[in-house]
Amino acid sequence: MLAGQKGHTLPSQMIWGPGLQLSLHCKSGNVDLGQQYLAPGGSWSFDFCSSYWGITLYFCNMVWNGGNKWFDIYTGARDSFICGQCGWSIRPTGPCRNHHGKVDCFPWNNSTSVHKWSK
């Protein structure tokens, strides 16, 4: 880890009905974490170091039967002082961040605010 950077681990867990599989693809501006598939109750996590300036951003596209949503899973402005190791519960209504026994739920990103997904 470089000086001025803070380490983070972001585990995510899918919570909803049986038989649904979640496909998620997360990335930042220069790191593509690849496509992941989660069965109900399944989990996945990734580690990274955030920027000293608080501008780190990771966003995910989440697809399931009947849904295709986007969410900023980590933003320096929202998460840098809260999340050293935050967990996320992915629900059809939106992701919920779990940290130190507190749960904060967020709406999905507006489709007009989707980040550029370069190929």
Side-chain angles (χ1 to χ4, degrees), residues 32-80:
D32 187 335
L33 299 171
Q35 193 80 31
Q36 308 296 322
Y37 298 95
L38 297 180
S43 63
W44 173 73
S45 67
F46 65 95
D47 298 311
F48 66 98
C49 292
S50 63
S51 159
Y52 172 78
W53 296 277
I55 58 171
T56 303
L57 170 67
Y58 277 88
F59 51 96
C60 300
N61 175 230
M62 301 181 200
V63 179
W64 65 92
N65 187 17
N68 185 346
K69 302 290 185 178
W70 292 86
F71 185 69
D72 296 339
I73 202 77
Y74 181 91
T75 67
R78 182 190 66 210
D79 302 312
S80 66

Side-chain angles (χ1 to χ4, degrees), residues 68-100:
N68 185 346
K69 302 290 185 178
W70 292 86
F71 185 69
D72 296 339
I73 202 77
Y74 181 91
T75 67
R78 182 190 66 210
D79 302 312
S80 66
F81 295 106
I82 295 172
C83 293
Q85 185 165 1
C86 282
W88 287 91
S89 300
I90 310 304
R91 304 163 191 257
T93 55
C96 295
R97 180 182 61 200
N98 310 303
H99 58 97
H100 306 294

